[in-house]
PDB file of all heavy atoms in Angstrom:
ATOM      1  N   ARG A 298      -9.091   2.843  11.924  1.00 96.00           N
ATOM      2  CA  ARG A 298      -8.229   1.771  11.413  1.00 96.00           C
ATOM      3  C   ARG A 298      -7.274   2.304  10.292  1.00 96.00           C
ATOM      4  O   ARG A 298      -6.135   1.854  10.198  1.00 96.00           O
ATOM      5  CB  ARG A 298      -9.065   0.641  10.810  1.00 96.00           C
ATOM      6  CG  ARG A 298      -9.824  -0.199  11.778  1.00 96.00           C
ATOM      7  CD  ARG A 298     -10.588  -1.353  11.047  1.00 96.00           C
ATOM      8  NE  ARG A 298     -11.498  -1.970  11.889  1.00 96.00           N
ATOM      9  CZ  ARG A 298     -12.621  -2.523  11.479  1.00 96.00           C
ATOM     10  NH1 ARG A 298     -12.987  -2.499  10.224  1.00 96.00           N
ATOM     11  NH2 ARG A 298     -13.426  -3.112  12.356  1.00 96.00           N
ATOM     12  N   LEU A 299      -7.754   3.307   9.563  1.00 98.00           N
ATOM     13  CA  LEU A 299      -6.985   3.861   8.462  1.00 98.00           C
ATOM     14  C   LEU A 299      -6.029   4.963   8.894  1.00 98.00           C
ATOM     15  O   LEU A 299      -4.879   5.007   8.469  1.00 98.00           O
ATOM     16  CB  LEU A 299      -7.969   4.428   7.404  1.00 98.00           C
ATOM     17  CG  LEU A 299      -8.876   3.378   6.635  1.00 98.00           C
ATOM     18  CD1 LEU A 299      -9.794   4.111   5.749  1.00 98.00           C
ATOM     19  CD2 LEU A 299      -7.935   2.494   5.806  1.00 98.00           C
ATOM     20  N   PHE A 300      -6.463   5.855   9.714  1.00 98.00           N
ATOM     21  CA  PHE A 300      -5.652   6.983  10.202  1.00 98.00           C
ATOM     22  C   PHE A 300      -4.960   6.675  11.513  1.00 98.00           C
ATOM     23  O   PHE A 300      -5.553   6.015  12.391  1.00 98.00           O
ATOM     24  CB  PHE A 300      -6.526   8.253  10.396  1.00 98.00           C
ATOM     25  CG  PHE A 300      -6.894   8.878   9.132  1.00 98.00           C
ATOM     26  CD1 PHE A 300      -7.962   8.398   8.350  1.00 98.00           C
ATOM     27  CD2 PHE A 300      -6.227  10.054   8.724  1.00 98.00           C
ATOM     28  CE1 PHE A 300      -8.284   9.055   7.171  1.00 98.00           C
ATOM     29  CE2 PHE A 300      -6.614  10.704   7.572  1.00 98.00           C
ATOM     30  CZ  PHE A 300      -7.596  10.175   6.777  1.00 98.00           C
ATOM     31  N   ASP A 301      -3.710   7.055  11.658  1.00 97.00           N
ATOM     32  CA  ASP A 301      -2.960   6.974  12.941  1.00 97.00           C
ATOM     33  C   ASP A 301      -3.805   7.749  13.989  1.00 97.00           C
ATOM     34  O   ASP A 301      -4.042   8.895  13.801  1.00 97.00           O
ATOM     35  CB  ASP A 301      -1.599   7.540  12.808  1.00 97.00           C
ATOM     36  CG  ASP A 301      -0.747   7.301  14.012  1.00 97.00           C
ATOM     37  OD1 ASP A 301      -0.927   8.062  14.988  1.00 97.00           O
ATOM     38  OD2 ASP A 301       0.092   6.408  14.033  1.00 97.00           O
ATOM     39  N   ARG A 302      -4.041   7.067  15.082  1.00 95.00           N
ATOM     40  CA  ARG A 302      -4.971   7.772  16.146  1.00 95.00           C
ATOM     41  C   ARG A 302      -4.222   8.843  16.810  1.00 95.00           C
ATOM     42  O   ARG A 302      -4.887   9.817  17.249  1.00 95.00           O
ATOM     43  CB  ARG A 302      -5.385   6.719  17.140  1.00 95.00           C
ATOM     44  CG  ARG A 302      -6.351   5.659  16.580  1.00 95.00           C
ATOM     45  CD  ARG A 302      -6.767   4.728  17.703  1.00 95.00           C
ATOM     46  NE  ARG A 302      -7.707   3.694  17.201  1.00 95.00           N
ATOM     47  CZ  ARG A 302      -8.375   2.832  18.009  1.00 95.00           C
ATOM     48  NH1 ARG A 302      -8.094   2.854  19.323  1.00 95.00           N
ATOM     49  NH2 ARG A 302      -9.188   1.978  17.487  1.00 95.00           N
ATOM     50  N   ASN A 303      -2.923   8.790  16.850  1.00 96.00           N
ATOM     51  CA  ASN A 303      -2.162   9.860  17.582  1.00 96.00           C
ATOM     52  C   ASN A 303      -1.886  11.098  16.680  1.00 96.00           C
ATOM     53  O   ASN A 303      -1.895  12.202  17.174  1.00 96.00           O
ATOM     54  CB  ASN A 303      -0.889   9.223  18.047  1.00 96.00           C
ATOM     55  CG  ASN A 303      -1.031   8.171  19.105  1.00 96.00           C
ATOM     56  OD1 ASN A 303      -1.887   8.284  19.995  1.00 96.00           O
ATOM     57  ND2 ASN A 303      -0.345   7.088  18.951  1.00 96.00           N
ATOM     58  N   THR A 304      -1.622  10.835  15.442  1.00 98.00           N
ATOM     59  CA  THR A 304      -1.287  11.982  14.605  1.00 98.00           C
ATOM     60  C   THR A 304      -2.414  12.475  13.761  1.00 98.00           C
ATOM     61  O   THR A 304      -2.479  13.599  13.208  1.00 98.00           O
ATOM     62  CB  THR A 304      -0.138  11.582  13.578  1.00 98.00           C
ATOM     63  OG1 THR A 304      -0.589  10.596  12.723  1.00 98.00           O
ATOM     64  CG2 THR A 304       1.054  11.171  14.393  1.00 98.00           C
ATOM     65  N   GLY A 305      -3.440  11.618  13.517  1.00 97.00           N
ATOM     66  CA  GLY A 305      -4.523  11.995  12.590  1.00 97.00           C
ATOM     67  C   GLY A 305      -4.123  12.026  11.173  1.00 97.00           C
ATOM     68  O   GLY A 305      -4.839  12.599  10.315  1.00 97.00           O
ATOM     69  N   ARG A 306      -2.996  11.408  10.826  1.00 98.00           N
ATOM     70  CA  ARG A 306      -2.500  11.337   9.438  1.00 98.00           C
ATOM     71  C   ARG A 306      -2.513   9.939   8.892  1.00 98.00           C
ATOM     72  O   ARG A 306      -2.691   8.997   9.625  1.00 98.00           O
ATOM     73  CB  ARG A 306      -1.090  11.972   9.373  1.00 98.00           C
ATOM     74  CG  ARG A 306      -1.088  13.410   9.865  1.00 98.00           C
ATOM     75  CD  ARG A 306       0.388  13.979   9.898  1.00 98.00           C
ATOM     76  NE  ARG A 306       0.424  15.272  10.535  1.00 98.00           N
ATOM     77  CZ  ARG A 306       1.542  15.800  11.077  1.00 98.00           C
ATOM     78  NH1 ARG A 306       2.631  15.137  11.191  1.00 98.00           N
ATOM     79  NH2 ARG A 306       1.498  17.001  11.601  1.00 98.00           N
ATOM     80  N   ILE A 307      -2.160   9.836   7.648  1.00 98.00           N
ATOM     81  CA  ILE A 307      -2.345   8.572   6.960  1.00 98.00           C
ATOM     82  C   ILE A 307      -1.364   8.406   5.811  1.00 98.00           C
ATOM     83  O   ILE A 307      -0.908   9.341   5.172  1.00 98.00           O
ATOM     84  CB  ILE A 307      -3.695   8.353   6.364  1.00 98.00           C
ATOM     85  CG1 ILE A 307      -4.025   6.946   5.830  1.00 98.00           C
ATOM     86  CG2 ILE A 307      -4.040   9.440   5.329  1.00 98.00           C
ATOM     87  CD1 ILE A 307      -5.461   6.728   5.458  1.00 98.00           C
ATOM     88  N   ILE A 308      -0.844   7.126   5.649  1.00 98.00           N
ATOM     89  CA  ILE A 308       0.077   6.798   4.510  1.00 98.00           C
ATOM     90  C   ILE A 308      -0.677   5.673   3.744  1.00 98.00           C
ATOM     91  O   ILE A 308      -0.846   4.555   4.312  1.00 98.00           O
ATOM     92  CB  ILE A 308       1.426   6.359   5.013  1.00 98.00           C
ATOM     93  CG1 ILE A 308       2.200   7.466   5.677  1.00 98.00           C
ATOM     94  CG2 ILE A 308       2.278   5.795   3.746  1.00 98.00           C
ATOM     95  CD1 ILE A 308       3.470   7.040   6.300  1.00 98.00           C
ATOM     96  N   VAL A 309      -1.066   6.000   2.514  1.00 98.00           N
ATOM     97  CA  VAL A 309      -1.711   4.989   1.658  1.00 98.00           C
ATOM     98  C   VAL A 309      -0.825   4.670   0.460  1.00 98.00           C
ATOM     99  O   VAL A 309      -0.207   5.587  -0.099  1.00 98.00           O
ATOM    100  CB  VAL A 309      -3.103   5.560   1.089  1.00 98.00           C
ATOM    101  CG1 VAL A 309      -3.770   4.534   0.256  1.00 98.00           C
ATOM    102  CG2 VAL A 309      -4.002   5.966   2.301  1.00 98.00           C
ATOM    103  N   VAL A 310      -0.757   3.386   0.148  1.00 98.00           N
ATOM    104  CA  VAL A 310      -0.019   3.020  -1.107  1.00 98.00           C
ATOM    105  C   VAL A 310      -1.048   2.427  -2.057  1.00 98.00           C
ATOM    106  O   VAL A 310      -1.434   1.261  -1.917  1.00 98.00           O
ATOM    107  CB  VAL A 310       1.126   2.048  -0.807  1.00 98.00           C
ATOM    108  CG1 VAL A 310       1.892   1.703  -2.063  1.00 98.00           C
ATOM    109  CG2 VAL A 310       2.045   2.593   0.305  1.00 98.00           C
ATOM    110  N   PRO A 311      -1.421   3.196  -3.155  1.00 98.00           N
ATOM    111  CA  PRO A 311      -2.312   2.670  -4.145  1.00 98.00           C
ATOM    112  C   PRO A 311      -1.643   1.604  -5.002  1.00 98.00           C
ATOM    113  O   PRO A 311      -0.453   1.732  -5.408  1.00 98.00           O
ATOM    114  CB  PRO A 311      -2.654   3.858  -4.994  1.00 98.00           C
ATOM    115  CG  PRO A 311      -2.276   5.074  -4.154  1.00 98.00           C
ATOM    116  CD  PRO A 311      -1.122   4.589  -3.335  1.00 98.00           C
ATOM    117  N   LEU A 312      -2.352   0.527  -5.314  1.00 98.00           N
ATOM    118  CA  LEU A 312      -1.818  -0.582  -6.107  1.00 98.00           C
ATOM    119  C   LEU A 312      -2.858  -0.932  -7.183  1.00 98.00           C
ATOM    120  O   LEU A 312      -2.980  -2.100  -7.672  1.00 98.00           O
ATOM    121  CB  LEU A 312      -1.572  -1.753  -5.254  1.00 98.00           C
ATOM    122  CG  LEU A 312      -0.596  -1.650  -4.033  1.00 98.00           C
ATOM    123  CD1 LEU A 312      -0.697  -2.794  -3.115  1.00 98.00           C
ATOM    124  CD2 LEU A 312       0.839  -1.497  -4.546  1.00 98.00           C
ATOM    125  N   ASP A 313      -3.566   0.117  -7.619  1.00 98.00           N
ATOM    126  CA  ASP A 313      -4.687  -0.070  -8.600  1.00 98.00           C
ATOM    127  C   ASP A 313      -4.208   0.107 -10.107  1.00 98.00           C
ATOM    128  O   ASP A 313      -5.060   0.070 -11.008  1.00 98.00           O
ATOM    129  CB  ASP A 313      -5.780   0.971  -8.286  1.00 98.00           C
ATOM    130  CG  ASP A 313      -5.315   2.382  -8.339  1.00 98.00           C
ATOM    131  OD1 ASP A 313      -4.317   2.673  -7.702  1.00 98.00           O
ATOM    132  OD2 ASP A 313      -5.897   3.186  -9.042  1.00 98.00           O
ATOM    133  N   HIS A 314      -2.906   0.219 -10.290  1.00 97.00           N
ATOM    134  CA  HIS A 314      -2.442   0.633 -11.636  1.00 97.00           C
ATOM    135  C   HIS A 314      -2.594  -0.448 -12.640  1.00 97.00           C
ATOM    136  O   HIS A 314      -2.522  -0.146 -13.837  1.00 97.00           O
ATOM    137  CB  HIS A 314      -0.940   0.921 -11.450  1.00 97.00           C
ATOM    138  CG  HIS A 314      -0.677   2.047 -10.528  1.00 97.00           C
ATOM    139  ND1 HIS A 314      -0.891   2.009  -9.142  1.00 97.00           N
ATOM    140  CD2 HIS A 314      -0.131   3.295 -10.769  1.00 97.00           C
ATOM    141  CE1 HIS A 314      -0.513   3.057  -8.520  1.00 97.00           C
ATOM    142  NE2 HIS A 314      -0.070   3.930  -9.482  1.00 97.00           N
ATOM    143  N   GLY A 315      -2.852  -1.680 -12.245  1.00 97.00           N
ATOM    144  CA  GLY A 315      -2.928  -2.774 -13.175  1.00 97.00           C
ATOM    145  C   GLY A 315      -4.097  -2.634 -14.145  1.00 97.00           C
ATOM    146  O   GLY A 315      -4.031  -3.061 -15.294  1.00 97.00           O
ATOM    147  N   VAL A 316      -5.204  -1.988 -13.741  1.00 98.00           N
ATOM    148  CA  VAL A 316      -6.323  -1.762 -14.620  1.00 98.00           C
ATOM    149  C   VAL A 316      -5.927  -0.647 -15.659  1.00 98.00           C
ATOM    150  O   VAL A 316      -6.191  -0.776 -16.874  1.00 98.00           O
ATOM    151  CB  VAL A 316      -7.597  -1.326 -13.862  1.00 98.00           C
ATOM    152  CG1 VAL A 316      -8.589  -0.738 -14.782  1.00 98.00           C
ATOM    153  CG2 VAL A 316      -8.126  -2.452 -13.121  1.00 98.00           C
ATOM    154  N   THR A 317      -5.249   0.375 -15.223  1.00 97.00           N
ATOM    155  CA  THR A 317      -4.921   1.490 -16.022  1.00 97.00           C
ATOM    156  C   THR A 317      -3.811   1.206 -17.015  1.00 97.00           C
ATOM    157  O   THR A 317      -3.937   1.515 -18.206  1.00 97.00           O
ATOM    158  CB  THR A 317      -4.468   2.755 -15.219  1.00 97.00           C
ATOM    159  OG1 THR A 317      -5.525   2.970 -14.198  1.00 97.00           O
ATOM    160  CG2 THR A 317      -4.325   3.958 -16.053  1.00 97.00           C
ATOM    161  N   VAL A 318      -2.718   0.680 -16.531  1.00 97.00           N
ATOM    162  CA  VAL A 318      -1.541   0.458 -17.373  1.00 97.00           C
ATOM    163  C   VAL A 318      -1.012  -0.986 -17.469  1.00 97.00           C
ATOM    164  O   VAL A 318       0.019  -1.267 -18.095  1.00 97.00           O
ATOM    165  CB  VAL A 318      -0.383   1.383 -17.001  1.00 97.00           C
ATOM    166  CG1 VAL A 318      -0.767   2.833 -17.208  1.00 97.00           C
ATOM    167  CG2 VAL A 318      -0.007   1.187 -15.509  1.00 97.00           C
ATOM    168  N   GLY A 319      -1.667  -1.941 -16.805  1.00 97.00           N
ATOM    169  CA  GLY A 319      -1.196  -3.327 -16.827  1.00 97.00           C
ATOM    170  C   GLY A 319      -0.329  -3.667 -15.677  1.00 97.00           C
ATOM    171  O   GLY A 319      -0.053  -2.848 -14.788  1.00 97.00           O
ATOM    172  N   PRO A 320       0.266  -4.917 -15.680  1.00 97.00           N
ATOM    173  CA  PRO A 320       1.085  -5.409 -14.573  1.00 97.00           C
ATOM    174  C   PRO A 320       2.480  -4.810 -14.657  1.00 97.00           C
ATOM    175  O   PRO A 320       3.465  -5.531 -14.930  1.00 97.00           O
ATOM    176  CB  PRO A 320       1.094  -6.905 -14.767  1.00 97.00           C
ATOM    177  CG  PRO A 320       0.907  -7.071 -16.275  1.00 97.00           C
ATOM    178  CD  PRO A 320       0.064  -5.939 -16.728  1.00 97.00           C
ATOM    179  N   ILE A 321       2.624  -3.550 -14.273  1.00 97.00           N
ATOM    180  CA  ILE A 321       3.920  -2.903 -14.321  1.00 97.00           C
ATOM    181  C   ILE A 321       4.825  -3.342 -13.104  1.00 97.00           C
ATOM    182  O   ILE A 321       4.280  -3.997 -12.183  1.00 97.00           O
ATOM    183  CB  ILE A 321       3.867  -1.344 -14.287  1.00 97.00           C
ATOM    184  CG1 ILE A 321       3.020  -0.913 -12.997  1.00 97.00           C
ATOM    185  CG2 ILE A 321       3.117  -0.856 -15.511  1.00 97.00           C
ATOM    186  CD1 ILE A 321       2.920   0.565 -12.857  1.00 97.00           C
ATOM    187  N   TYR A 322       6.066  -3.112 -13.200  1.00 96.00           N
ATOM    188  CA  TYR A 322       7.060  -3.459 -12.140  1.00 96.00           C
ATOM    189  C   TYR A 322       6.624  -3.002 -10.796  1.00 96.00           C
ATOM    190  O   TYR A 322       6.128  -1.903 -10.621  1.00 96.00           O
ATOM    191  CB  TYR A 322       8.389  -2.851 -12.545  1.00 96.00           C
ATOM    192  CG  TYR A 322       9.426  -3.100 -11.360  1.00 96.00           C
ATOM    193  CD1 TYR A 322      10.012  -4.275 -11.094  1.00 96.00           C
ATOM    194  CD2 TYR A 322       9.739  -1.979 -10.503  1.00 96.00           C
ATOM    195  CE1 TYR A 322      10.880  -4.524 -10.113  1.00 96.00           C
ATOM    196  CE2 TYR A 322      10.648  -2.206  -9.476  1.00 96.00           C
ATOM    197  CZ  TYR A 322      11.241  -3.421  -9.281  1.00 96.00           C
ATOM    198  OH  TYR A 322      12.086  -3.659  -8.212  1.00 96.00           O
ATOM    199  N   GLY A 323       6.608  -3.924  -9.864  1.00 97.00           N
ATOM    200  CA  GLY A 323       6.199  -3.578  -8.486  1.00 97.00           C
ATOM    201  C   GLY A 323       4.834  -4.072  -8.085  1.00 97.00           C
ATOM    202  O   GLY A 323       4.566  -4.295  -6.848  1.00 97.00           O
ATOM    203  N   ILE A 324       3.979  -4.435  -9.096  1.00 97.00           N
ATOM    204  CA  ILE A 324       2.739  -4.983  -8.791  1.00 97.00           C
ATOM    205  C   ILE A 324       2.488  -6.291  -9.466  1.00 97.00           C
ATOM    206  O   ILE A 324       1.297  -6.754  -9.522  1.00 97.00           O
ATOM    207  CB  ILE A 324       1.571  -4.020  -9.040  1.00 97.00           C
ATOM    208  CG1 ILE A 324       1.571  -3.566 -10.542  1.00 97.00           C
ATOM    209  CG2 ILE A 324       1.667  -2.767  -8.183  1.00 97.00           C
ATOM    210  CD1 ILE A 324       0.305  -2.816 -10.918  1.00 97.00           C
ATOM    211  N   VAL A 325       3.516  -6.991 -10.051  1.00 97.00           N
ATOM    212  CA  VAL A 325       3.321  -8.232 -10.648  1.00 97.00           C
ATOM    213  C   VAL A 325       3.027  -9.329  -9.560  1.00 97.00           C
ATOM    214  O   VAL A 325       2.053 -10.008  -9.654  1.00 97.00           O
ATOM    215  CB  VAL A 325       4.606  -8.595 -11.436  1.00 97.00           C
ATOM    216  CG1 VAL A 325       4.426 -10.048 -12.000  1.00 97.00           C
ATOM    217  CG2 VAL A 325       4.763  -7.628 -12.641  1.00 97.00           C
ATOM    218  N   ASP A 326       3.878  -9.341  -8.569  1.00 95.00           N
ATOM    219  CA  ASP A 326       3.646 -10.171  -7.326  1.00 95.00           C
ATOM    220  C   ASP A 326       3.068  -9.316  -6.235  1.00 95.00           C
ATOM    221  O   ASP A 326       3.868  -8.737  -5.416  1.00 95.00           O
ATOM    222  CB  ASP A 326       4.975 -10.874  -7.005  1.00 95.00           C
ATOM    223  CG  ASP A 326       4.779 -11.787  -5.814  1.00 95.00           C
ATOM    224  OD1 ASP A 326       3.708 -11.778  -5.165  1.00 95.00           O
ATOM    225  OD2 ASP A 326       5.751 -12.583  -5.501  1.00 95.00           O
ATOM    226  N   LEU A 327       1.833  -9.232  -6.243  1.00 96.00           N
ATOM    227  CA  LEU A 327       1.188  -8.220  -5.297  1.00 96.00           C
ATOM    228  C   LEU A 327       1.309  -8.667  -3.845  1.00 96.00           C
ATOM    229  O   LEU A 327       1.442  -7.812  -2.921  1.00 96.00           O
ATOM    230  CB  LEU A 327      -0.290  -8.064  -5.653  1.00 96.00           C
ATOM    231  CG  LEU A 327      -0.919  -6.759  -5.291  1.00 96.00           C
ATOM    232  CD1 LEU A 327      -0.189  -5.579  -5.940  1.00 96.00           C
ATOM    233  CD2 LEU A 327      -2.434  -6.707  -5.580  1.00 96.00           C
ATOM    234  N   ARG A 328       1.356  -9.923  -3.573  1.00 96.00           N
ATOM    235  CA  ARG A 328       1.505 -10.406  -2.183  1.00 96.00           C
ATOM    236  C   ARG A 328       2.874  -9.960  -1.587  1.00 96.00           C
ATOM    237  O   ARG A 328       2.955  -9.461  -0.506  1.00 96.00           O
ATOM    238  CB  ARG A 328       1.310 -11.861  -2.096  1.00 96.00           C
ATOM    239  CG  ARG A 328       1.338 -12.439  -0.726  1.00 96.00           C
ATOM    240  CD  ARG A 328       0.928 -13.907  -0.619  1.00 96.00           C
ATOM    241  NE  ARG A 328      -0.560 -14.085  -0.847  1.00 96.00           N
ATOM    242  CZ  ARG A 328      -1.011 -14.681  -1.950  1.00 96.00           C
ATOM    243  NH1 ARG A 328      -0.302 -15.081  -2.891  1.00 96.00           N
ATOM    244  NH2 ARG A 328      -2.327 -14.801  -2.003  1.00 96.00           N
ATOM    245  N   ASP A 329       3.872 -10.099  -2.402  1.00 97.00           N
ATOM    246  CA  ASP A 329       5.240  -9.719  -1.955  1.00 97.00           C
ATOM    247  C   ASP A 329       5.217  -8.156  -1.724  1.00 97.00           C
ATOM    248  O   ASP A 329       5.861  -7.704  -0.796  1.00 97.00           O
ATOM    249  CB  ASP A 329       6.295 -10.088  -2.968  1.00 97.00           C
ATOM    250  CG  ASP A 329       7.650  -9.688  -2.511  1.00 97.00           C
ATOM    251  OD1 ASP A 329       8.201 -10.157  -1.515  1.00 97.00           O
ATOM    252  OD2 ASP A 329       8.256  -8.812  -3.270  1.00 97.00           O
ATOM    253  N   THR A 330       4.656  -7.457  -2.626  1.00 98.00           N
ATOM    254  CA  THR A 330       4.661  -5.989  -2.512  1.00 98.00           C
ATOM    255  C   THR A 330       3.895  -5.576  -1.228  1.00 98.00           C
ATOM    256  O   THR A 330       4.346  -4.634  -0.538  1.00 98.00           O
ATOM    257  CB  THR A 330       3.987  -5.340  -3.791  1.00 98.00           C
ATOM    258  OG1 THR A 330       4.800  -5.663  -4.909  1.00 98.00           O
ATOM    259  CG2 THR A 330       3.975  -3.832  -3.606  1.00 98.00           C
ATOM    260  N   VAL A 331       2.750  -6.129  -1.048  1.00 98.00           N
ATOM    261  CA  VAL A 331       1.946  -5.780   0.165  1.00 98.00           C
ATOM    262  C   VAL A 331       2.742  -6.143   1.435  1.00 98.00           C
ATOM    263  O   VAL A 331       2.733  -5.473   2.402  1.00 98.00           O
ATOM    264  CB  VAL A 331       0.606  -6.490   0.234  1.00 98.00           C
ATOM    265  CG1 VAL A 331      -0.143  -6.297   1.538  1.00 98.00           C
ATOM    266  CG2 VAL A 331      -0.267  -5.961  -0.988  1.00 98.00           C
ATOM    267  N   ASN A 332       3.499  -7.274   1.387  1.00 97.00           N
ATOM    268  CA  ASN A 332       4.272  -7.598   2.543  1.00 97.00           C
ATOM    269  C   ASN A 332       5.337  -6.484   2.838  1.00 97.00           C
ATOM    270  O   ASN A 332       5.449  -6.085   4.028  1.00 97.00           O
ATOM    271  CB  ASN A 332       5.123  -8.888   2.282  1.00 97.00           C
ATOM    272  CG  ASN A 332       4.472 -10.116   2.891  1.00 97.00           C
ATOM    273  OD1 ASN A 332       3.873 -10.036   3.990  1.00 97.00           O
ATOM    274  ND2 ASN A 332       4.578 -11.195   2.318  1.00 97.00           N
ATOM    275  N   GLN A 333       5.974  -6.061   1.815  1.00 97.00           N
ATOM    276  CA  GLN A 333       7.007  -4.947   2.000  1.00 97.00           C
ATOM    277  C   GLN A 333       6.300  -3.698   2.444  1.00 97.00           C
ATOM    278  O   GLN A 333       6.784  -2.940   3.313  1.00 97.00           O
ATOM    279  CB  GLN A 333       7.681  -4.706   0.667  1.00 97.00           C
ATOM    280  CG  GLN A 333       8.550  -5.803   0.119  1.00 97.00           C
ATOM    281  CD  GLN A 333       9.207  -5.469  -1.174  1.00 97.00           C
ATOM    282  OE1 GLN A 333       9.961  -4.493  -1.258  1.00 97.00           O
ATOM    283  NE2 GLN A 333       8.897  -6.239  -2.245  1.00 97.00           N
ATOM    284  N   ILE A 334       5.139  -3.400   1.970  1.00 98.00           N
ATOM    285  CA  ILE A 334       4.402  -2.183   2.337  1.00 98.00           C
ATOM    286  C   ILE A 334       4.059  -2.242   3.811  1.00 98.00           C
ATOM    287  O   ILE A 334       4.159  -1.266   4.592  1.00 98.00           O
ATOM    288  CB  ILE A 334       3.184  -1.936   1.444  1.00 98.00           C
ATOM    289  CG1 ILE A 334       3.615  -1.581   0.059  1.00 98.00           C
ATOM    290  CG2 ILE A 334       2.243  -0.892   2.043  1.00 98.00           C
ATOM    291  CD1 ILE A 334       2.524  -1.593  -1.003  1.00 98.00           C
ATOM    292  N   ALA A 335       3.491  -3.356   4.232  1.00 98.00           N
ATOM    293  CA  ALA A 335       3.045  -3.590   5.643  1.00 98.00           C
ATOM    294  C   ALA A 335       4.315  -3.571   6.553  1.00 98.00           C
ATOM    295  O   ALA A 335       4.234  -2.890   7.636  1.00 98.00           O
ATOM    296  CB  ALA A 335       2.402  -4.941   5.794  1.00 98.00           C
ATOM    297  N   GLU A 336       5.401  -4.163   6.148  1.00 97.00           N
ATOM    298  CA  GLU A 336       6.598  -4.073   7.056  1.00 97.00           C
ATOM    299  C   GLU A 336       7.121  -2.711   7.124  1.00 97.00           C
ATOM    300  O   GLU A 336       7.685  -2.327   8.192  1.00 97.00           O
ATOM    301  CB  GLU A 336       7.646  -5.001   6.391  1.00 97.00           C
ATOM    302  CG  GLU A 336       7.441  -6.460   6.612  1.00 97.00           C
ATOM    303  CD  GLU A 336       7.360  -6.814   8.102  1.00 97.00           C
ATOM    304  OE1 GLU A 336       8.208  -6.400   8.922  1.00 97.00           O
ATOM    305  OE2 GLU A 336       6.465  -7.543   8.428  1.00 97.00           O
ATOM    306  N   GLY A 337       6.887  -1.887   6.143  1.00 98.00           N
ATOM    307  CA  GLY A 337       7.336  -0.458   6.185  1.00 98.00           C
ATOM    308  C   GLY A 337       6.456   0.405   7.066  1.00 98.00           C
ATOM    309  O   GLY A 337       6.830   1.492   7.430  1.00 98.00           O
ATOM    310  N   GLY A 338       5.270  -0.108   7.408  1.00 97.00           N
ATOM    311  CA  GLY A 338       4.370   0.623   8.307  1.00 97.00           C
ATOM    312  C   GLY A 338       3.349   1.567   7.663  1.00 97.00           C
ATOM    313  O   GLY A 338       2.886   2.419   8.312  1.00 97.00           O
ATOM    314  N   ALA A 339       3.043   1.325   6.417  1.00 98.00           N
ATOM    315  CA  ALA A 339       1.945   2.071   5.788  1.00 98.00           C
ATOM    316  C   ALA A 339       0.628   1.805   6.518  1.00 98.00           C
ATOM    317  O   ALA A 339       0.413   0.743   7.097  1.00 98.00           O
ATOM    318  CB  ALA A 339       1.847   1.673   4.293  1.00 98.00           C
ATOM    319  N   ASN A 340      -0.251   2.782   6.465  1.00 98.00           N
ATOM    320  CA  ASN A 340      -1.531   2.615   7.124  1.00 98.00           C
ATOM    321  C   ASN A 340      -2.519   1.821   6.273  1.00 98.00           C
ATOM    322  O   ASN A 340      -3.389   1.131   6.835  1.00 98.00           O
ATOM    323  CB  ASN A 340      -2.178   3.963   7.410  1.00 98.00           C
ATOM    324  CG  ASN A 340      -1.324   4.788   8.351  1.00 98.00           C
ATOM    325  OD1 ASN A 340      -0.542   5.662   7.951  1.00 98.00           O
ATOM    326  ND2 ASN A 340      -1.435   4.491   9.623  1.00 98.00           N
ATOM    327  N   ALA A 341      -2.419   1.879   4.959  1.00 98.00           N
ATOM    328  CA  ALA A 341      -3.375   1.221   4.122  1.00 98.00           C
ATOM    329  C   ALA A 341      -2.788   0.973   2.705  1.00 98.00           C
ATOM    330  O   ALA A 341      -1.902   1.750   2.197  1.00 98.00           O
ATOM    331  CB  ALA A 341      -4.625   2.002   4.015  1.00 98.00           C
TER     332      ALA A 341
END
């Protein structure tokens, strides 16, 4: 589910920065960001 079955490669976008540095630009509205990431075709 995580790796592309044909290439054996993966694109992950970490969104865990809120714990480390707070709600920085890009992760304030996480649902919108995940929408954009999914539309772009990230694996996870």
Side-chain angles (χ1 to χ4, degrees):
R298 290 180 189 152
L299 293 172
F300 283 79
D301 185 284
R302 292 183 179 185
N303 296 316
T304 66
R306 298 173 186 158
I307 188 171
I308 297 173
V309 180
V310 183
L312 302 168
D313 59 308
H314 303 65
V316 167
T317 309
V318 293
I321 58 175
Y322 173 74
I324 59 170
V325 175
D326 183 348
L327 207 59
R328 185 171 285 109
D329 179 64
T330 299
V331 172
N332 261 328
Q333 295 179 61
I334 291 168
E336 284 302 313
N340 298 99

